[in-house]
């Protein structure tokens, strides 16, 4: 990414804007490639004209842009329609248009968490945090007001005090300590600051409602225990034990452990108890794939690595072992308590809305040093 | 169907073909043709020849086609200004189109056409659009004002667009407000006068804060950035503004978060640091900053550079967050280096163990730059946290054992610093260091190693052999290494004179005869002479105690840091340079943090910041003047040769430290008691002078040399007369990071021949953050040269950093001498003698004094009353005064009881002193 300027501009804004431009273009024509840019140059001119004026970013919300910048060009509109577009582009609720109707009012909530871990070879957690986000897909009629409730520690404790007898910690309900959270622009931030309640009028379709970060009490779904032995100058032995650490009834998926090997590796012999393992010379790593693995299980891989003699005095610095996985729960303990929908003008109530909640825990940067 | 086909036509006669297509009747064909034109334009072909044909397509109701034509116009109007006029009519018409999108498009495009003739036509439509009923048009028009200002600033001011823009600040639509704010900020920043054209009032701030909750993320950035330029009136306002901004910290956009942090950091300065609000705000700031580290690498980098500033300003905010700055294997190198920097800043006794084990890990990585920095970081940890020094040293030793060349070299450089910080503690490791002598090939590492050998020559049995081995290739060494080698061998000789005489002679002759480096030659000669004349003195000089190196290295200067805090999130904060250093042309206003609400009442000497604008001539002529004065006039100040003491720098000038104590006696001895007493008396005068009205009038000290111009030295001062002697009272504040010494002062020739009567005596060295007073007695026997204005005095102050020049104004009353009383008859005769055209009349306004108090007040300032008369209810006073250069001034005052204005008539043979005398009267009577 690069930008030019003559002034002392807001650098953070420049970068954020460029990332946003990429988002917008991707949502219009997919991958940004030379071919796609050629194919859509008129559209790109039109978009740039709209999202940037004299270097000031304007409205960059794809939902809104798509209402009046279409690939076919604008068909003649009635005056009311034009007025509606302009008020929407500049308006307070720029992310939703009026008059949306669905026969079935439905919403989907995906709690997506990325677990990041850095562990020492001795199994000490050096740093761990969960970067989570709540993605919402809403198919709701009208201009619904939503209220979203989570098991945030601050809220739960305040609640507990109100009911006097029920202390959330003692009652066994798990709470999550959220270090920091950020919301989609539709969330009323001032209300969150004062009442700690998350209320908003959602955009139509898919959007990222909130992002959060936690560092306390993270349940780490997997543990990697490495054992590396250098046998002489031309041989190395690596043993990696993988333990799954969650409820037995749940299944972890798409598990992949990447064990780096020295640059001068000439051959690798592998034995693994579960899944498939392969030495990939192009990546300088052994890639060990396991399709599924239940909770509270253990498996291992051992490898003998043959090395070429080299004259470089430089020692091989061992990069960390990284891994990927997907588990069907939120490692931070994040729980959706409720999502209430209020639409006063249309006659459907909270009960009529069909709601779906799904939890997915994925690996972020999940590394164990060896 | 895709657009890529428009790029493919490359055959000859293309332009001609396009021309006919553009004039085709069918709309579809026309549109196709315009797209082809734009495609050619995009790839850089010159299609300006088609200008009239494209402009012909402008009148269309197809929005897409219109946009393309406008695009073409923006690109080529400048090259075809005459034909661009053809388009004006359509623009004006489009500005009244029923479709708001077209109205906005027209205004937006017109602003982008930088042709003078077109801008004239822009004014009317723009004025209308600023009041358009549709917010989309208004927000576009707001930006257009900024565009117009860039083309023709005076037109914007003349046409009253600024006021219209200001009105938009209270628009009902948040996006209009945001764009208006953005436009105003840009206009303010680029205004040629340097002062903001539009001032923010509490009311507008309130409106902006309301709009903040409702506008787009970018709008929020504009608003927050402009709020950062506002200074709240008091603590309460600052606090309530902070409260309303805090929710922005939870925004998903990093730019919004950083801009909010900027405003909060700035306003926090105004609040008492021990208040509960500041404590809670400090807690709230940490999480969002940490979250920024999980964004894209580019944004992360911007965040890290800013965190680097924030950590220096308020270390408390992130002191518990060390772990998040641990480097990840996949981080881009620029992120890694920055994280490392912040880790060191955050290192403390509590977390040093963790930091060290991380740093050790990093030191085995692949990237050379990163590894070097990690090793250096270990050394900095040792110097910063004393308790960790031992562990750091053992870690460094471990690293040396790895024998990785650049690790070893880097480790040796930092170990030298550790030796300097903790002398006589870790010398046991020297033998290990010596083992790696052969592998060192970088000058800095070699120089460090040589320094260590020289410093500890008595403990290293074969020091002479080691040094001799270096000496073989002396001529090929880097000058840094040569200097070190010279000093080390001299040290060795002083410690073990018996068997190293040959070696020292060899190095001295190499340095003095075979080298063409003046530094090396000079140092060689000094050593030589010292050794040959007085070996005992040589010992004292060369083996003198060295000052300890400071703990924190590479911190930013406080004044610069404060300025950068005001620029958080901008490019300046990324470069760690003030905007003036990289933005061309516009000088702009330098930003500074608001003063703390309490600081004012605590400080005794109030350095008034609203200094009178001093007339300073161009630097070069000033220097020239000062130089010529050097030859002509007597040089009073003994210029102590005090070389810069290199704190923490790698090349240690050992000589410097020694010479300093030898030669710099005048500069380093504390100021004699008389000067101290005098300055404290001046202070008392400052405090009591004004209210009691019984002492001589003393103008408050004004800042003559601000710290940013004085390389960290801030000088404020005033002139005063005590016991018939003229003094210059000065306050020197050291706002730099290092102690200052070797102060001296000189004046340029001036109207009154003022010159220092004795050398300047300031506390020296002046430690960082300390202010010292000095009182400099002045004589009027110096060379005279008429200045403009008359009372200007050009001063040069020198210290170990640099020579600084500034100009100040001598208040005329300080020049009134004690024997200024004229005999009555002489007065009368002189008054008549002086021609009437020499009489100047002034009015002193707003003074409520009776004739008697005027008499007594003026008397204290050496203005003597000759006669007093009462004419028709008016008091007439006749007064005389004499200036140091013997010029007499005769005055007549008319005082009417009940009238706050006094009329002053002056007569003098040299009428150009009149203005100064009037100023003196005005000051004394108001003082």
């Amino acid at each position: 990414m690069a930008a030019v300027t003559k002034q002392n501009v807001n650098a953070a804004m420049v970068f954020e804007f460029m990332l946003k431009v990429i988002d917008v273009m991707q949502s219009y024509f997919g991958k940004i490639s030379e071919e796609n840019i050629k194919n859509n140059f008129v559209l790109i001119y039109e978009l740039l004209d709209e999202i940037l004026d004299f270097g000031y970013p304007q409205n960059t919300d794809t939902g809104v842009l798509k209402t009046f910048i279409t690939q076919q060009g604008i068909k003649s509109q009635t005056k009311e329609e034009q007025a509606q577009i302009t008020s929407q582009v500049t308006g307070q609720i720029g992310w939703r248009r009026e008059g949306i109707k669905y026969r079935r009012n439905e919403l989907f909530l995906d709690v997506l968490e990325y677990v990041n871990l850095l562990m020492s070879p001795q199994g000490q957690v050096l740093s761990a945090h969960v970067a989570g986000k709540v993605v919402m897909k809403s198919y709701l009629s009208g201009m619904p007001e939503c209220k979203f409730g989570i098991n945030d520690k601050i809220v739960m404790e305040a609640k507990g005090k109100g009911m006097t007898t029920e202390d959330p910690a003692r009652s066994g309900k798990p709470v999550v300590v959220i270090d920091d959270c950020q919301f989609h622009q539709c969330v009323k931030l001032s209300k969150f600051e004062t009442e700690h309640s998350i209320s908003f009028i959602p955009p139509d379709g898919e959007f990222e409602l909130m992002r959060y970060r936690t560092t306390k009490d993270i349940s780490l779904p997997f543990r990697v225990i490495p054992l590396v032995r250098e046998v002489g100058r031309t041989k190395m032995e690596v043993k990696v034990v993988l333990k799954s650490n969650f409820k037995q009834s749940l299944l972890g998926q798409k598990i992949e452990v990447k064990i780096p090997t020295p640059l001068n590796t000439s051959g690798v012999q592998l034995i693994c108890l579960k899944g498939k393992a392969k030495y990939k010379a192009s990546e300088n790593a052994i890639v060990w794939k396991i399709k599924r693995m239940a909770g509270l299980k253990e498996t291992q891989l051992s490898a003998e690595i043959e090395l070429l003699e080299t004259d470089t005095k430089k020692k091989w610095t061992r990069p960390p072992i990284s891994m990927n996985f997907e588990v069907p729960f939120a490692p931070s303990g994040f729980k959706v308590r409720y999502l209430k929908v209020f639409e006063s003008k249309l006659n459907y109530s909270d009960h009529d809305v069909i709601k779906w909640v799904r939890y997915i825990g994925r690996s972020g940067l999940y590394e164990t040093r060896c | 169907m895709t657009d890529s086909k428009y790029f493919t036509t490359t055959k000859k006669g293309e332009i001609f073909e396009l021309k006919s297509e553009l004039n085709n009747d069918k709309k579809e064909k026309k549109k196709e043709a315009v797209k082809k034109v734009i495609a050619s334009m995009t790839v850089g072909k010159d299609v300006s020849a088609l200008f009239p044909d494209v402009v012909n397509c402008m009148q269309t109701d197809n929005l897409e086609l219109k946009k393309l034509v406008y695009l073409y116009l923006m690109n080529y109007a400048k090259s075809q200004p005459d034909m661009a006029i053809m388009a004006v009519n359509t623009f004006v018409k489009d500005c009244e189109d029923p479709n708001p999108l077209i109205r906005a498009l027209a205004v937006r495009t017109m602003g982008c056409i930088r042709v003078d003739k077109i801008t004239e036509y822009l004014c009317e439509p723009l004025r209308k659009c600023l009041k358009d009923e549709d917010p989309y048009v208004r927000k576009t028009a707001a930006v257009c004002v900024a565009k117009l200002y860039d083309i023709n600033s005076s037109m914007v001011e003349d046409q009253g667009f600024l006021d219209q823009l200001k009105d938009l600040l209270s628009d009902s639509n948040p996006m209009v407000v945001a764009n208006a704010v953005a436009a105003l900020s840009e206009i303010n920043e680029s205004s040629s006068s340097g002062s903001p054209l539009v001032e923010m009032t509490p009311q507008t701030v309130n409106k902006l804060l309301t709009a903040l909750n409702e506008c787009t993320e970018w709008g929020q950035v504009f608003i927050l950035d402009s709020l950062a330029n506002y200074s709240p009136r008091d603590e309460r306002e600052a606090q309530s503004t902070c409260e309303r901004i805090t929710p922005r910290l939870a925004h998903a956009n990093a730019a919004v978060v950083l801009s909010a942090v900027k405003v909060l950091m700035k306003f926090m300065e105004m609040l008492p640091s021990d208040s509960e609000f500041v404590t809670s705000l400090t807690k709230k700031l940490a999480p969002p900053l940490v979250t920024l580290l999980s964004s894209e690498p580019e944004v992360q980098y911007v965040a890290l550079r800013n965190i680097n500033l924030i950590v220096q300003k308020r270390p408390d905010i992130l002191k518990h967050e060390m772990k998040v700055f641990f480097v990840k294997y996949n981080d881009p190198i620029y992120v890694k280096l920055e994280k490392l920097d912040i880790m060191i800043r955050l290192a403390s006794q509590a977390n040093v163990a963790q930091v060290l084990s991380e740093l050790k890990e990093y030191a085995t990585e692949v990237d050379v730059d990163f590894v070097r920095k990690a090793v250096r970081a270990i050394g900095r940890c040792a110097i910063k946290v004393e308790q960790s020094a031992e562990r750091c040293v053992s870690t460094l030793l471990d690293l040396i054992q790895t024998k990785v060349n650049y690790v070893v070299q880097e480790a040796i450089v930092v170990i030298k610093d550790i030796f300097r910080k903790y002398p006589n503690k870790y010398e046991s490791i020297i033998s290990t260091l010596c083992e790696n002598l052969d592998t060192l090939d970088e000058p800095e590492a070699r120089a460090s190693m040589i320094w260590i050998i020289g410093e500890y020559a008595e403990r290293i049995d074969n020091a002479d052999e080691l040094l001799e081995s270096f000496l073989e290739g002396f001529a090929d060494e880097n000058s840094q290494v040569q200097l070190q080698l010279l000093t080390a061998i001299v040290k060795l000789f002083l410690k073990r004179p018996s068997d190293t005489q040959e070696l020292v002679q060899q190095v001295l002759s190499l340095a003095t005869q075979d080298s063409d480096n003046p530094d090396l030659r000079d140092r060689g000669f000094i050593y030589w002479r010292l050794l040959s004349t007085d070996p005992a003195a040589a010992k004292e000089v060369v083996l003198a105690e060295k000052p300890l190196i400071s703990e924190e290295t590479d911190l930013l200067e406080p004044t610069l840091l404060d300025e950068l805090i005001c620029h958080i999130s901008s490019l300046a904060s990324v470069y760690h340079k003030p905007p003036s250093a990289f933005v061309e042309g516009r000088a702009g206003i330098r930003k500074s943090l608001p003063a703390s609400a309490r600081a004012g009442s605590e400080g005794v000497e109030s350095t008034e910041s609203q200094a009178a604008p001093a007339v300073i001539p161009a630097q070069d002529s000033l220097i020239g003047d000062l130089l010529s004065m050097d030859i002509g006039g007597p040089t009073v100040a003994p210029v102590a040769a005090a070389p810069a003491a290199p704190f923490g720098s790698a090349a240690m000038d050992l000589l410097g430290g020694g010479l300093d104590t030898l030669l710099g006696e005048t500069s380093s001895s504390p100021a004699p008691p008389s000067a101290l007493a005098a300055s404290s008396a001046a202070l008392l005068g400052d405090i009591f002078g004004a209210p009691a009205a019984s002492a001589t009038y003393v103008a408050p000290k004004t800042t003559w040399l601000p710290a940013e111009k004085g390389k960290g030295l801030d000088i404020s001062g005033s002139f005063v007369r005590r016991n018939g002697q003229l003094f210059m009272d000065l306050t020197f504040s050291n706002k730099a990071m290092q102690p200052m010494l070797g102060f001296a002062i000189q004046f340029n020739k001036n109207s009154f021949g003022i010159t220092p009567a004795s050398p300047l005596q300031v506390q020296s060295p002046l430690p960082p953050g300390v202010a010292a007073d000095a009182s400099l007695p002045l004589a009027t026997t110096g060379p005279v040269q008429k200045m403009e204005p008359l009372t200007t005095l050009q001063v040069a102050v020198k210290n170990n950093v640099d020579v600084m020049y500034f100009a100040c104004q001598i208040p005329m009353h300080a020049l009134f001498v004690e024997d200024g009383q004229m005999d009555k008859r002489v007065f009368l005769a002189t008054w008549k003698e002086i021609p009437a055209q020499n009489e100047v009349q002034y009015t002193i306004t707003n003074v409520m004094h009776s004739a008697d108090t005027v008499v007594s007040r003026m008397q204290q300032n050496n203005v003597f009353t000759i006669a007093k008369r009462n004419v028709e209810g008016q008091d007439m006073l006749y007064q005389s005064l004499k200036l140091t250069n013997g010029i007499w001034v005769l005055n007549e005052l008319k005082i009417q009881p009940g009238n706050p204005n006094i009329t002053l008539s002056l007569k003098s043979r040299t009428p150009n002193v009149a203005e100064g005398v009037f100023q003196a009267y005005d000051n004394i009577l108001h003082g």
Side-chain angles (χ1 to χ4, degrees), chain B residues 444-517:
Chain B
E444 199 180 352
R446 283 174 86 87
S448 301
M449 192 63 219
I450 293 169
W451 181 85
I452 292 172
I453 297 173
E455 187 66 18
Y456 299 102
E458 66 273 29
R459 306 190 196 193
I460 306 170
D461 293 335
N462 59 344
D464 49 343
E465 287 167 33
L466 295 175
L467 291 175
E468 200 170 357
S469 70
F470 279 109
L471 205 55
E472 281 160 18
F474 190 80
D476 304 326
E477 295 281 7
N478 179 294
S479 63
Q480 186 188 0
V481 182
Q482 290 177 332
L483 284 169
Q484 264 332 319
L485 196 53
L486 171 61
T487 305
I489 291 178
V490 172
K491 277 188 202 163
L492 174 71
F493 171 71
L494 289 168
K495 286 173 181 175
R496 286 164 39 184
S498 52
D499 52 348
T500 54
Q501 199 153 6
E502 207 174 309
L503 195 62
V504 82
Q505 265 167 4
Q506 204 181 339
V507 76
L508 284 175
S509 74
L510 276 173
T512 52
Q513 285 159 25
D514 299 342
S515 169
D516 49 8
N517 177 347

Side-chain angles (χ1 to χ4, degrees), chain B residues 662-728:
Chain B
L662 269 185
L663 307 174
E665 258 175 295
T666 38
S667 66
S668 57
S669 63
S674 64
L676 275 180
S679 74
S680 66
L683 262 182
L684 285 176
D686 251 2
I687 298 164
F688 296 117
S694 59
T696 324
Y697 169 74
V698 179
K701 281 186 183 171
T702 50
T703 305
W704 286 339
L705 181 73
E708 55 265 32
K709 282 195 189 134
K711 312 239 159 102
L713 178 65
D714 182 295
I715 299 176
S716 61
S718 63
F719 290 89
V720 62
R721 227 185 154 73
R722 278 192 294 270
N723 304 328
Q725 166 82 43
L726 182 59
F727 285 93
M728 187 182 200

Side-chain angles (χ1 to χ4, degrees), chain A residues 43-61:
Chain A
L43 171 71
I44 293 173
Y45 270 129
E46 213 176 320
L47 282 173
L48 285 179
D49 202 29
E50 196 52 52
I51 59 180
L52 198 66
D53 191 5
F54 198 46
Y56 302 124
Q58 303 292 308
N59 200 326
T60 49
D61 193 284

Side-chain angles (χ1 to χ4, degrees), chain B residues 392-460:
Chain B
C392 293
V393 170
S394 76
T395 310
L396 287 170
L397 278 182
D398 287 350
L399 290 173
I400 288 177
Q401 301 300 351
T402 63
K403 306 274 179 201
V404 179
N405 185 280
Y406 52 84
V407 174
V408 174
Q409 309 216 25
E410 207 64 38
I412 285 181
V413 173
V414 295
I415 284 177
K416 173 210 65 188
D417 285 341
I418 294 176
F419 280 172
R420 284 208 61 188
K421 172 78 183 176
Y422 310 110
N424 306 319
K425 228 172 160 182
Y426 302 109
E427 281 74 9
S428 55
I429 64 170
I430 288 174
S431 60
T432 325
L433 301 184
C434 290
E435 288 165 18
N436 293 287
L437 215 54
D438 308 332
T439 60
L440 306 179
D441 52 11
E442 289 162 25
E444 199 180 352
R446 283 174 86 87
S448 301
M449 192 63 219
I450 293 169
W451 181 85
I452 292 172
I453 297 173
E455 187 66 18
Y456 299 102
E458 66 273 29
R459 306 190 196 193
I460 306 170

Side-chain angles (χ1 to χ4, degrees), chain B residues 848 896-901:
Chain B
M848 287 309 270
Q896 225 165 359
N899 186 346
N901 297 343

